[in-house]
Amino acid sequence: MKSNTVYGEGSPGVAELVPRDDDIIVIEHAYKSFGKTQALVDASLRVKRGEVCLIFGPSGGGKSTLLRCINRLENPDSGTIIVDGIPVTGDKCNIDLVRAEVGMVFQLFNLFPHLTVLRNVTIAQEKVRGRSNKEAERIARELLERVGIPEKADAYPGQLSGGQKQRVAIARALAMNPKIMLFDEPTSALDAEMIKEVLDVMLDLAKEGMTMVVVSHEMGFAKAAADCMVFIDGGRVIEEGTPEEIFSNPKEDRTKLFLSQILE
Amino acid sequence: MAVATETEKPRPKLIPWTEKLAALPWWALLILLGGVLIVYFIYTSPTYQDAFSFLISGVRLTILVSLASFVLSLVLGLILGMGRVSKNVVSYTISSLYVEVVRGIPMLVLLIYFAYVVTPIGLQFANALGAFILQNLAFGPLIRLAEYLVNLNIQGVDMMVRAIIGLAFAYAAFEAEVFRAGIQSIERGQMEAARSLGMSYVQGMRYIILPQAIRRVLPPLGNDFIAILKDSSLISVLAVRELTHLGKLNRARTFRTFETWNTVAFLYLILTLSLSVLVKIMERRMSFEE
């Protein structure tokens, strides 16, 4: 049986978890609590290969926690998460191998301040992918060109604006040739005029068919690029649907209320 | 009230001369004056000259012992400090136990303990290990090693070596706390970013966290070097011929208490003050870069 070989023994609910082939991320019944706060309550989510999925909802609702469970920056208390066929919640999973395939962009950029922009983009390529310095630099320069800041290769992160930092962070993640990109509120820490330059890069990525899971309130980006939208509140997935469904005809009252508040 | 027009220039504010004088670093000037005075004595008075030329070889040994034990304590402290931030229960427990025990024992007691208890016990272990290898694993290059271990003798271990070991192991506990604080001062997002790129915990530590943490702890480490230099005077109880011990010897030799200890204190001050100037420069450069 296929599920046994893929998921290993002892994963809960293996039988019901046979994914369709195009599901690259499967989250089933994830629970997570920090002390007494319930961050995730029975959260389930499926993302297809090549899909752009936007997660939105009030702050403290568990959006980021759900995203961070995908590359196990948070370990769910229970539930099963499968990324590209590998159950990351399993004991035998080598999480470093999965993380190399899953790029992540953080709200506060998290660039390495002691390294130049170029080195920020090359270091993981060399240490994790085992590329030569020359090859890593070639790839890094290409990517910096693509995100529009080739001239900043030798600068340090401290000398960049917020938008430039976030674009370097995207280049750093892309340098690993990830199959999935996770964005954790990538524009929330940016000034209004810098949001566009980051969103433009993300739109390009979406057009190229990258699988993306984005936690964001950028509804313009959702309309332009998202294939599915997920509304999360109180740690639960309240509603899921295409942007058309969510914007024109939300089923749940909480979704309606939230959308009316942020779309004012 | 008339609004100030452009022609009305604000009068230059006069700072009273008393305040100007009070702002001068008088303590530094007084130290300088004391130093000049002692240098003058060393040049003119034969007793000071005698004390100085007798003591100066101790300065060399003091610096040597301090440097050697400092370097060793950095290595040990870094290992212990990584243990202190580790999620591994065993390494966290061992390093915490070490740090808490060592910090709770007076430095002087620690030095005596390491010199007369730990080192002999360690040597007995080495002897036993050597004998074991000779009996059970005697082949190839191991024989040389085993013979070396068996022939180790407590008489062969110089008191200076024991003093360096003692100082290093004692200060390792303090350096461990410095490194721990430095590692914990780096934002959590740094390790998360490293891990999200597929780096292992060890790679994240080595390439991302430690380079930043070590830069941040350079000034406190500099201060610890000054502290180790001062505490090296304690090893005079082990009869290592460093500065303080030579001070005792000189006093016994000449019965010139004043001259001897003035010169000893002066020599220590030269070392520590010049080092603390270096640390201050380092601190200022760090604050500019951040």
Side-chain angles (χ1 to χ4, degrees):
Chain A
M1 212 170 98
K2 190 189 169 191
S3 58
N4 272 339
T5 54
V6 174
Y7 303 128
E9 288 162 36
S11 307
V14 163
E16 56 189 284
L17 273 180
V18 179
R20 295 179 293 274
D21 278 344
D22 49 355
D23 281 338
I24 193 165
I25 300 171
V26 181
I27 303 173
E28 292 281 331
H29 310 301
Y31 285 81
K32 174 80 187 175
S33 56
F34 298 104
K36 280 185 178 168
T37 2
Q38 291 267 313
L40 287 180
V41 183
D42 195 15
S44 298
L45 177 74
R46 276 163 191 264
V47 180
K48 290 193 186 70
R49 209 173 284 275
E51 218 175 37
V52 176
C53 183
L54 188 111
I55 301 175
F56 69 109
S59 63
K63 310 176 299 276
S64 288
T65 309
L66 185 67
L67 190 78
R68 290 157 61 86
C69 279
I70 295 174
N71 64 354
R72 227 174 74 183
L73 285 182
E74 303 290 354
N75 233 338
D77 299 332
S78 66
T80 306
I81 296 171
I82 297 157
V83 175
D84 199 22
I86 301 167
V88 296
T89 38
D91 292 337
K92 287 177 191 162
C93 168
N94 183 349
I95 192 64
D96 293 336
L97 294 180
V98 178
R99 282 177 178 151
E101 308 296 334
V102 181
M104 184 152 190
V105 174
F106 299 86
Q107 180 178 0
L108 295 175
F109 328 122
N110 294 353
L111 292 181
F112 307 133
H114 61 302
L115 304 175
T116 63
V117 165
L118 191 69
R119 194 77 189 121
N120 262 278
V121 185
T122 56
I123 187 158
Q125 294 187 64
E126 289 172 29
K127 306 301 175 193
V128 179
R129 285 276 190 249
R131 291 176 187 153
S132 69
N133 182 265
K134 218 174 149 192
E135 193 192 359
E137 274 194 18
R138 183 182 57 76
I139 293 169
R141 287 190 193 279
E142 266 174 34
L143 282 166
L144 289 176
E145 187 92 37
R146 189 162 139 197
V147 298
I149 34 175
E151 74 281 4
K152 296 286 184 191
D154 298 318
Y156 282 88
Q159 300 163 310
L160 304 182
S161 72
Q164 291 172 330
K165 280 183 197 167
Q166 198 59 297
R167 285 185 282 159
V168 173
I170 294 174
R172 178 177 71 176
L174 288 178
M176 301 294 289
N177 301 104
K179 293 176 180 155
I180 303 166
M181 284 285 284
L182 309 176
F183 292 83
D184 190 1
E185 309 211 24
T187 55
S188 304
L190 297 179
D191 293 337
E193 74 264 30
M194 294 171 185
I195 290 177
K196 191 178 170 297
E197 60 189 49
V198 172
L199 286 182
D200 283 346
V201 173
M202 290 170 63
L203 279 171
D204 282 346
L205 261 183
K207 267 182 217 148
E208 287 164 22
M210 174 65 79
T211 308
M212 293 163 69
V213 183
V214 185
V215 171
S216 176
H217 291 156
E218 295 295 334
M219 289 305 156
F221 175 78
K223 280 174 188 158
D227 300 299
C228 74
M229 288 178 72
V230 182
F231 178 65
I232 291 184
D233 189 13
R236 293 167 198 276
V237 176
I238 306 288
E239 189 167 355
E240 227 182 312
T242 63
E244 293 78 47
E245 289 166 359
I246 297 282
F247 283 122
S248 57
N249 188 21
K251 295 186 200 80
E252 302 287 334
D253 290 342
R254 266 193 278 179
T255 320
K256 271 180 216 166
L257 181 68
F258 184 78
L259 280 174
S260 70
Q261 279 166 346
I262 63 166
L263 288 176
E264 257 164 30
Chain B
M1 277 293 290
V3 179
T5 59
E6 277 179 44
T7 49
E8 264 182 275
K9 277 181 188 158
R11 230 182 288 166
K13 212 174 162 189
L14 280 175
I15 302 167
W17 63 273
T18 47
E19 267 185 41
K20 270 189 191 170
L21 275 184
L24 284 176
W26 285 104
W27 57 271
L29 292 177
L30 286 174
I31 288 175
L32 208 67
L33 186 72
V36 169
L37 218 63
I38 293 200
V39 170
Y40 172 75
F41 283 144
I42 288 170
Y43 264 96
T44 53
S45 138
T47 29
Y48 270 102
Q49 216 161 44
D50 182 42
F52 181 80
S53 51
F54 186 78
L55 292 169
I56 196 72
S57 72
V59 172
R60 229 193 68 234
L61 213 61
T62 288
I63 293 175
L64 180 77
V65 167
S66 309
L67 263 181
S69 46
F70 183 63
V71 170
L72 192 53
S73 78
L74 284 183
V75 176
L76 291 169
L78 184 59
I79 295 168
L80 286 168
M82 304 238 295
R84 289 278 276 171
V85 298
S86 164
K87 282 193 183 118
N88 183 312
V89 182
V90 177
S91 47
Y92 173 78
T93 307
I94 290 174
S95 44
S96 299
L97 181 77
Y98 184 88
V99 168
E100 295 302 333
V101 167
V102 167
R103 285 198 309 176
I105 298 173
M107 187 64 70
L108 187 55
V109 178
L110 273 178
L111 290 174
I112 296 170
Y113 194 81
F114 269 97
Y116 294 116
V117 181
V118 176
T119 315
I121 288 180
L123 280 185
Q124 277 178 14
F125 265 111
N127 292 157
L129 183 70
F132 176 81
I133 295 175
L134 273 186
Q135 279 189 348
N136 299 306
L137 299 160
F139 53 82
L142 272 180
I143 294 177
R144 294 277 297 276
L145 176 74
E147 276 168 356
Y148 175 74
L149 287 177
V150 167
N151 290 330
L152 278 178
N153 185 330
I154 191 67
Q155 258 78 48
V157 183
D158 192 38
M159 265 303 167
M160 193 181 84
V161 175
R162 298 194 216 181
I164 289 173
I165 291 174
L167 269 178
F169 275 82
Y171 263 85
F174 298 101
E175 304 327 355
E177 285 303 88
V178 171
F179 282 119
R180 180 190 58 76
I183 290 170
Q184 285 176 341
S185 79
I186 306 297
E187 308 79 69
R188 257 185 62 190
Q190 291 291 309
M191 186 52 111
E192 284 181 355
R195 297 305 302 272
S196 81
L197 289 165
M199 288 193 203
S200 65
Y201 177 83
V202 174
Q203 283 178 321
M205 263 293 162
R206 177 164 161 209
Y207 299 116
I208 308 302
I209 306 296
L210 283 182
Q212 298 182 57
I214 286 171
R215 279 166 60 97
R216 263 186 216 183
V217 298
L218 279 180
L221 287 183
N223 283 327
D224 274 358
F225 181 63
I226 297 173
I228 220 171
L229 194 129
K230 290 192 286 181
D231 276 348
S232 73
S233 64
L234 292 172
I235 66 173
S236 60
V237 299
L238 303 179
V240 177
R241 294 174 66 86
E242 48 73 63
L243 184 48
T244 307
H245 188 64
L246 285 192
K248 284 189 206 166
L249 292 182
N250 193 54
R251 199 213 66 93
R253 188 177 63 111
T254 60
F255 298 106
R256 293 284 186 174
T257 312
F258 271 45
E259 289 86 343
T260 303
W261 294 113
N262 272 343
T263 314
V264 169
F266 169 72
L267 288 173
Y268 272 118
L269 262 181
I270 286 183
L271 293 176
T272 54
L273 287 180
S274 44
L275 279 170
S276 79
V277 167
L278 281 181
V279 172
K280 283 219 174 78
I281 292 171
M282 204 152 68
E283 262 169 1
R284 193 170 301 174
R285 258 177 61 186
M286 298 299 248
S287 66
F288 276 132
E289 279 172 21
E290 299 243 321

